[in-house]
Amino acid sequence: MPNDDRLFPGASPVDSYGTGFTSTAVYRLPAGGGFRWVRSAGPQRSEPVRPPPAVVLGRIRALPAEGMDFALPEARGHRLVHAANGPESLANILMTQSREYSYPRACDLLGRLGKNLGELHSISGRDMQGKGHLGISRLSGWLGDGSGAGESGRLFTAARKRLGSARWDLLRDWCDACAEPSPDDVLLHGKPGTGLVVPGLNGSRAALLTGEDMAVGRPSLDVGWVLGELAELRGVIRDQAGDAAAAEWSTLGSAFAGGYGRAPTAETGRVATLCVLNHVRDYCAHVEWSEWWVPTVLNFVADECDRGGSGTLAWGEAGGG
């Protein structure tokens, strides 16, 4: 991964990865200048990534951000550049480090993420009106006709067979409800999750990469997006390692919910279920097909449809649904 010296003279490339939809590159700046995270559109994405309006960035900068920094973007051509104090995401730490090390750290960071989203949701969405939630809109389109890149059509066929018409109609209704304007609409992060949380090195402040997918909508869209990711991974852990391991993972969801500090609504559980389905849709469209993971996730979505998403809201000692 060569460095583009036009962006960061003297910087060292640290990592690069991506999907057909989004690409990420990380650079270490010289002389203790921290790190720069560069986000750009992947080869299957028709529109470049764009920052939110300057007035929105100004409102976010005025927040206390007690949990972690909002790492807001600077546009460089068709790329967004975020400053952070670390070279890897919380998602990577959870995938590569032991539970003894990664879980306590994740609980702290997810609690901070919850606080940050609570602060963000104090901002009205009036300066972003007309900017709907990208994940929900893309999922809604796929639920309609199965179109998309990669293995989108194959997943559509498999999901229709596993979920059945009644659940399918229910998921479409949930998507439609999420897109309806509400008096409670606020500024949304749009895609919060462990992949955009960057822990700081040596005790420095963590960062939440913010700005790429900002939207207007109900707070449940952000909260449900995080809980959906955590619930999906818990389901995979339960499938592979059993109930005790899933209960241990549940401490992460509990930490996030506690940090956000507001009781989740039933709508949040429905959003979380949609998030899980959207994740597998994204993966099949922009990465590859997975013979073991796709059926596991579709089984999870079927169960959550049958209980209205309530399993994604349960983070007690029993490990939820």
Side-chain angles (χ1 to χ4, degrees):
M1 181 184 64
N3 177 29
D4 185 343
D5 287 328
R6 294 170 297 176
L7 277 179
F8 313 115
S12 302
V14 175
D15 199 3
S16 65
Y17 51 90
T19 70
F21 195 70
T22 304
S23 297
T24 301
V26 184
Y27 300 90
R28 183 192 300 268
L29 270 57
F35 299 84
R36 295 296 181 269
W37 288 63
V38 182
R39 302 270 291 177
S40 58
Q44 295 171 331
R45 191 168 181 170
S46 58
E47 295 291 329
V49 294
R50 294 187 178 94
V55 64
V56 172
L57 296 176
R59 295 186 194 283
I60 299 172
R61 290 190 185 99
L63 293 173
E66 296 176 359
M68 58 180 64
D69 292 333
F70 288 103
L72 299 175
E74 175 188 355
R76 301 279 191 95
H78 293 315
R79 294 168 287 196
L80 298 182
V81 177
H82 304 260
N85 295 319
E88 65 177 333
S89 68
L90 175 58
N92 191 63
I93 290 172
L94 285 166
M95 287 189 295
T96 61
Q97 302 293 326
S98 68
R99 288 180 297 177
E100 292 76 15
Y101 171 79
S102 64
Y103 280 24
R105 196 173 188 192
C107 285
D108 175 64
L109 289 165
L110 286 166
R112 294 173 184 271
L113 172 62
K115 289 180 181 178
N116 262 43
L117 293 181
E119 292 163 3
L120 188 67
H121 295 165
S122 69
I123 299 178
S124 165
R126 63 180 179 272
D127 296 312
M128 289 280 288
Q129 286 301 335
K131 185 70 165 62
H133 191 280
L134 180 60
I136 292 295
S137 64
R138 293 171 65 225
L139 177 63
S140 181
W142 176 82
L143 284 167
D145 60 15
S147 62
E151 300 285 0
S152 297
R154 182 179 179 184
L155 178 66
F156 183 82
T157 300
R160 286 296 302 253
K161 181 178 180 179
R162 173 62 184 90
L163 299 176
S165 58
R167 294 190 186 103
W168 202 264
D169 290 343
L170 182 65
L171 290 164
R172 297 189 71 179
D173 288 344
W174 289 358
C175 277
D176 290 344
C178 287
E180 284 291 320
S182 163
D184 299 326
D185 282 355
V186 297
L187 185 64
L188 298 173
H189 180 282
K191 196 171 65 175
T194 61
L196 296 180
V197 172
V198 181
L201 293 180
N202 303 318
S204 58
R205 284 177 63 84
L208 172 61
L209 305 188
T210 303
E212 180 182 334
D213 294 289
M214 301 204 81
V216 175
R218 307 164 197 218
S220 60
L221 284 163
D222 272 351
V223 179
W225 222 249
V226 178
L227 292 180
E229 176 193 358
L230 297 177
E232 175 191 340
L233 291 169
R234 181 179 60 188
V236 172
I237 290 170
R238 175 177 286 114
D239 186 67
Q240 293 186 330
D243 289 343
E248 188 176 3
W249 176 265
S250 285
T251 59
L252 278 66
S254 180
F256 169 75
Y260 188 70
R262 308 172 199 177
T265 63
E267 181 181 69
T268 304
R270 297 192 288 271
V271 170
T273 306
L274 294 174
C275 170
V276 175
L277 183 58
N278 185 67
H279 185 209
V280 72
R281 185 205 62 79
D282 262 348
Y283 191 86
C284 290
H286 303 300
V287 183
E288 62 183 3
W289 181 266
S290 172
E291 290 290 350
W292 72 268
W293 182 56
V294 169
T296 298
V297 174
L298 292 181
N299 287 339
F300 176 94
V301 171
D303 289 343
E304 291 305 323
C305 283
D306 294 345
R307 56 189 170 196
S310 62
T312 67
L313 307 180
W315 296 97
E317 292 183 0

